[in-house]
Amino acid sequence: MGFRISGSSSSSCFCLQRTLLPPLTAIATSTRGFKRRSNCIPSCSVSYRKFVEFALDETTLHTHLIPSPLQEKYNFMNSKDGKGTLSMLSFEGAKIRLLRSLIIETETMQVLDFTVFPKAEYDIPIFCANFFTSAKTNIVVLDLNPLHDIINQHEYKEKYFKSLIPLGLKYAELFPWGGKLTSESINFFSPIVIWTKFTSNPEKYDILYSAFREYYKVWLKLICKADKETDESQIFHNLEAQHRYLTWRVEKDPGQGVLKKLIGDTLAKDMLRSFLFNGVDELGNKTFNDYFPRYCCQEGTLNKKGNVIGKSFENRPWNARGEFIGNRFSNWPV
């Protein structure tokens, strides 16, 4: 890889002097990710490649990135029908367990799934960007997913989100709430989440790019300032929280259907568990039902897919101060 460390690190911050980030095409050459091996020409003009370029460029302002061992296996794939491509990149850093991206490009849609997981010694939120674009519509989730409960416990919210509420309000005005989210799902979102749907147009796309840049810069500042945890019980608490998050996402991620359609059930399951939500089989032994017993044990509330029928939030459930104003239903462990 073309990444090199220049300068020395600090004991309290992993910020390192930046070395020049090669273009994404150069990264692709060495990692075999993002290669254009297909003649697929999308009908929608959006490309999410510049989002990933920005994130990698910005990250190397702060830390040394090395390719993840996942990169060897997960780098590029054609869809079953030969009309779409899946391009993957994955990296590790001093405080980053996994930075990974998936871009799907077909004739009818563009998808970005970009997430950064901190190491268990750091309790900072998980950066999450999930964007779907077709010729007519966009579905967007952009957030700093809280690692710990912020609905019933306020210390974690005060630590990481209190100062970010103005940023969330800024984009809440530009991107209206996207409709119903279940009570179960809302536990994994923060007061600054952008959950929205909009008709495809260049202006909205530009605003989304601005939001992505601002949110990612904020996340980088958080991880740069984060002190390494030394208490073993807290490290375990962070590890279990991340495993809980991964377990939920593997079971409930809405992109599963798209992956199965593009590459088949077997490859889609492998990509979900081993790449997109890597760690679900390694970081813990608890199952989905262990973390979310309501889904199997609450009589009269299970549908055929095992989903709890709970309250859905049609409007943003946080007020302008970042206070949760929905009901107090929560799946977080006490």
Side-chain angles (χ1 to χ4, degrees):
M1 290 296 297
F3 296 104
R4 302 179 303 277
I5 296 180
S6 176
S8 58
S9 61
S10 165
S11 59
S12 62
C13 179
F14 79 154
C15 297
L16 300 169
Q17 184 177 337
R18 179 185 186 238
T19 57
L20 184 63
L21 176 74
L24 194 54
T25 51
I27 297 174
T29 300
S30 58
T31 62
R32 295 187 301 195
F34 284 0
K35 291 184 180 179
R36 290 194 177 273
R37 304 182 191 177
S38 168
N39 293 324
C40 165
I41 301 175
S43 61
C44 40
S45 59
V46 168
S47 173
Y48 287 120
R49 293 171 182 268
K50 71 176 184 179
F51 288 67
V52 179
E53 288 177 342
F54 169 82
L56 291 177
D57 191 23
E58 198 69 21
T59 305
T60 56
L61 288 169
H62 301 284
T63 190
H64 175 55
L65 288 178
I66 60 172
S68 164
L70 298 173
Q71 189 64 52
E72 183 63 27
K73 179 179 179 181
Y74 302 97
N75 47 72
F76 183 88
M77 194 180 301
N78 283 311
S79 61
K80 292 189 300 180
D81 62 8
K83 297 181 180 180
T85 62
L86 295 83
S87 304
M88 293 144 278
L89 287 175
S90 56
F91 297 93
E92 299 173 353
K95 296 184 179 181
I96 295 172
R97 181 179 72 82
L98 178 64
L99 179 159
R100 57 86 176 146
S101 69
L102 166 67
I103 288 181
I104 299 174
E105 295 177 316
T106 76
E107 294 176 336
T108 59
M109 68 177 176
Q110 308 285 296
V111 175
L112 172 66
D113 190 331
F114 180 88
T115 302
V116 193
F117 300 97
K119 290 184 176 179
E121 290 82 2
Y122 307 95
D123 68 351
I124 72 161
I126 297 165
F127 183 86
C128 172
N130 294 127
F131 305 154
F132 170 89
T133 294
S134 67
K136 294 183 178 180
T137 190
N138 290 262
I139 303 173
V140 165
V141 173
L142 177 63
D143 194 23
L144 276 59
N145 293 154
L147 193 62
H148 299 296
D149 181 13
I150 59 170
I151 293 179
N152 301 306
Q153 301 174 22
H154 301 290
E155 183 178 347
Y156 187 81
K157 186 180 78 171
E158 291 290 307
K159 181 178 180 181
Y160 286 119
F161 293 103
K162 183 178 181 180
S163 65
L164 304 183
I165 298 304
L167 176 64
L169 291 174
K170 170 184 174 181
Y171 285 104
E173 291 291 324
L174 298 168
F175 291 113
W177 190 251
K180 290 183 179 180
L181 277 183
T182 66
S183 300
E184 299 82 40
S185 298
I186 211 72
N187 287 289
F188 295 96
F189 294 119
S190 80
I192 67 168
V193 62
I194 298 174
W195 151 240
T196 192
K197 300 176 183 179
F198 57 87
T199 303
S200 295
N201 70 76
E203 182 181 359
K204 282 287 190 181
Y205 175 65
D206 289 341
I207 297 172
L208 180 61
Y209 184 47
S210 294
F212 179 88
R213 294 199 311 268
E214 287 199 65
Y215 274 55
Y216 195 65
K217 285 181 177 181
V218 162
W219 183 87
L220 284 172
K221 287 181 180 179
L222 293 180
I223 198 168
C224 186
K225 293 177 180 178
D227 294 321
K228 186 175 183 178
E229 182 61 64
T230 57
D231 183 276
E232 290 297 326
S233 63
Q234 184 59 45
I235 293 173
F236 176 79
H237 187 46
N238 294 341
L239 192 69
E240 186 173 59
Q242 193 168 139
H243 186 252
R244 184 176 185 273
Y245 173 92
L246 293 167
T247 302
W248 172 268
R249 292 294 304 272
V250 163
E251 185 73 21
K252 299 297 179 181
D253 190 78
Q256 292 188 50
V258 172
L259 282 177
K260 289 178 180 179
K261 182 178 180 181
L262 290 173
I263 59 177
D265 289 1
T266 301
L267 289 176
K269 181 179 179 181
D270 177 67
M271 182 176 289
L272 280 166
R273 300 190 72 89
S274 299
F275 180 72
L276 291 177
F277 306 115
N278 175 270
V280 70
D281 294 320
E282 295 83 19
L283 300 185
N285 297 316
K286 287 187 177 181
T287 66
F288 183 86
N289 289 336
D290 291 331
Y291 286 124
F292 310 101
R294 292 176 186 269
Y295 277 68
C296 64
C297 302
Q298 189 169 334
E299 185 178 357
T301 62
L302 300 179
N303 65 23
K304 292 181 180 180
K305 294 184 179 180
N307 292 320
V308 174
I309 303 173
K311 179 178 175 63
S312 293
F313 296 100
E314 296 186 17
N315 300 295
R316 178 174 288 274
W318 293 278
N319 64 21
R321 295 185 298 276
E323 299 166 342
F324 187 70
I325 55 175
N327 66 11
R328 293 297 169 178
F329 174 90
S330 176
N331 268 336
W332 287 96
V334 178

